[in-house]
Amino acid sequence: MKIIHTSDWHIGKIVNEFSMIEDQKYILNKLIDLVEKENPQVLIIAGDIYDRSIPPVEAVELLNDTFSNLIIDKKIKILAISGNHDGGERLSFGNKILEKNGLYIAGRDNELYRHIVLKDGDKNVNFYLVPYKDPALTRKILDKKEIKSHNDAMESVIDKIKEEMNQQEINILVGHGYVTMKRNDAIECIENKYEVANLEISDSERPLSIGGTDLIDGNIFDDFDYVALGHLHGRQKIGREEIKYSGSLLKYSFSEVNQKKGVYVLDINNDEINIDFRMLKPLRDLRVIKGKIEDIIDEARDLEEGNKDYIQAVLTDDGEIINPMEKLRSVYPNTMLITRERKREFSEDKTSAKGEYKRKSKLELFKEFYEDLGNGDYTQEKDEVLINTINEVLKSEVK
């Protein structure tokens, strides 16, 4: 049996006021092309199919077209769960009817997990679809007051699954959340818990809780042959090769610029699982460029491709720039963000003048301020501009 593991489509997402629907349509067509090439039997979507619980009309239409192509035309079975961005009840609407065509979605509020059995020759492959739920909802369903964290909730669901699980067959779990092998080290951390947990996170991911209660111990999945995870947008393994995040299909923040996006392809053969990554090239990339604005514009004019990419420009110019966004969009029409490079680090005490400031001249005070917080070197030319400016102000004050 061949399986494609994907997650975090976030259909309908808006990034820095740019709709990603055209890019999502393009990348989903690339996924369909890959399905046609690889000819898998199953496509897994590990949550966050939509970007919000009530998706826009164009997002629903795109998902409908994609599912119809995959299920009806490509004859592939889709196994999906709701993530923290999805509205589980809406996503699961009509699922009993859709299952007859090969679409299995787990996401209803009262649904802890769904067990799907598919045949691989004369062998069973078991899929356990565990949709994202707030721990309070799992606590209510199971009537277990001791469930207080995402880890408690997932442990309780796994215990229920083990009551029916056949260890002699292939067992695959699909889940959504923060899974780590270093939960005990990270739960006491406040600011850098994900770093301690050895997780690569992105700015576009929504926190699930505070205080470390969203971290799930990866060791509780030891009895599963493969764990297909969603939520983290960068592909990564958790402990062993068989616990993986496939990552999002597209880059959704500039913190993801160095990530390679795509899907995992699993090939089950004689109880062994071979795992390969297949990269998908987007319609437009997200890139960060840096330099003086005129240099950036000159370089862009010589580009043969990439000028339609989504851009964050880090400008290194000194002084003010007139209409920088308008200038950059003349060569990079999809410029999203402009930031200025800060060449010096500063702390809160840098906002106060040093020493006996009352005895210092206006020129000395400004020079100290510029050296602490300004961009570039304090040159003789800048000194002359400042002297002239101060003199003009003083003249106007005595008129």
Side-chain angles (χ1 to χ4, degrees), residues 55 114 118 134 151 154 170 172 178 200 202 231 267 301 315 338 341 350 354 384-385 395:
R114 179 170 298 186
L118 299 180
D134 186 271
N151 189 68
M154 184 61 77
I170 295 291
I172 295 173
Y178 292 103
E200 180 186 356
S202 305
H231 186 58
D267 198 347
R301 290 192 179 113
L315 302 183
I338 294 177
E341 181 186 43
K350 294 289 187 181
K354 301 173 185 173
E384 292 174 0
V385 171
K395 287 179 183 179

Side-chain angles (χ1 to χ4, degrees), residues 45-87:
I45 313 173
D48 285 352
I49 298 173
Y50 289 125
D51 189 57
R52 56 190 110 154
S53 58
I54 304 178
V57 172
E58 61 267 25
V60 176
E61 290 175 348
L62 176 55
L63 184 65
N64 181 62
D65 291 343
T66 302
F67 277 1
S68 296
N69 193 312
L70 289 168
I71 295 170
I72 298 174
D73 298 338
K74 302 298 184 292
K75 308 300 181 184
I76 188 176
K77 289 180 169 57
I78 295 177
L79 277 59
I81 62 171
S82 59
N84 59 298
H85 280 254
D86 297 307

Side-chain angles (χ1 to χ4, degrees), residues 175-346:
H176 192 91
Y178 292 103
V179 178
T180 173
M181 292 297 181
K182 296 185 177 182
R183 180 177 182 271
N184 292 336
D185 296 331
I187 55 176
E188 301 299 328
C189 301
I190 298 176
E191 296 183 356
N192 63 338
K193 66 174 180 177
Y194 298 123
E195 181 180 344
V196 175
N198 199 27
L199 295 176
E200 180 186 356
I201 62 171
S202 305
D203 294 340
S204 55
E205 296 151 2
R206 185 183 299 170
L208 302 178
S209 66
I210 60 174
T213 60
D214 54 355
L215 296 175
I216 298 171
D217 186 358
N219 293 293
I220 67 178
F221 302 113
D222 283 348
D223 293 323
F224 294 90
D225 297 282
Y226 185 80
V227 181
L229 295 172
H231 186 58
L232 299 186
H233 289 186
R235 64 183 175 98
Q236 52 202 288
K237 71 172 183 178
I238 305 301
R240 58 189 173 97
E241 289 293 334
E242 294 80 18
I243 304 179
K244 286 186 181 293
Y245 287 95
S246 65
S248 57
L249 286 180
L250 290 171
K251 299 174 184 178
Y252 290 128
S253 72
F254 287 103
S255 62
E256 302 170 41
V257 292
N258 295 321
Q259 295 177 0
K260 303 297 183 184
K261 301 296 187 177
V263 301
Y264 282 116
V265 178
L266 287 63
D267 198 347
I268 302 175
N269 190 10
N270 295 325
D271 297 333
E272 292 185 2
I273 301 179
N274 296 313
I275 307 167
D276 291 310
F277 180 73
R278 299 285 188 272
M279 192 168 71
L280 298 176
K281 186 177 180 180
L283 176 64
R284 289 174 280 248
D285 202 358
L286 258 75
R287 294 196 288 121
V288 177
I289 57 178
K290 181 178 177 181
K292 293 185 177 181
I293 189 166
E294 294 304 327
D295 293 338
I296 290 174
I297 291 172
D298 288 341
E299 292 172 5
R301 290 192 179 113
D302 296 330
L303 284 179
E304 294 183 2
E305 60 179 25
N307 60 330
K308 296 296 195 300
D309 288 346
Y310 296 112
I311 297 295
Q312 177 185 359
V314 182
L315 302 183
T316 60
D317 303 74
D318 294 339
E320 292 300 315
I321 305 172
I322 299 174
N323 297 327
M325 184 62 81
E326 181 180 337
K327 290 179 179 179
L328 285 175
R329 284 184 174 170
S330 68
V331 291
Y332 288 115
N334 294 315
T335 300
M336 285 183 166
L337 294 174
I338 294 177
T339 58
R340 300 295 294 270
E341 181 186 43
R342 180 164 295 283
K343 297 182 179 180
R344 296 181 179 89
E345 296 296 328
F346 63 95

Side-chain angles (χ1 to χ4, degrees), residues 73-135:
D73 298 338
K74 302 298 184 292
K75 308 300 181 184
I76 188 176
K77 289 180 169 57
I78 295 177
L79 277 59
I81 62 171
S82 59
N84 59 298
H85 280 254
D86 297 307
E89 289 290 334
R90 288 186 176 88
L91 196 64
S92 301
F93 177 78
N95 58 353
K96 293 297 182 183
I97 299 172
L98 299 173
E99 282 182 10
K100 295 179 180 180
N101 294 311
L103 176 60
Y104 304 85
I105 300 178
R108 291 193 176 280
D109 287 346
N110 62 352
E111 190 173 37
L112 288 175
Y113 72 92
R114 179 170 298 186
H115 179 198
I116 306 299
V117 182
L118 299 180
K119 285 287 187 180
D120 183 22
D122 59 351
K123 297 181 179 180
N124 289 336
V125 179
N126 300 287
F127 296 86
Y128 293 94
L129 312 182
V130 183
Y132 171 81
K133 277 183 175 50
D134 186 271

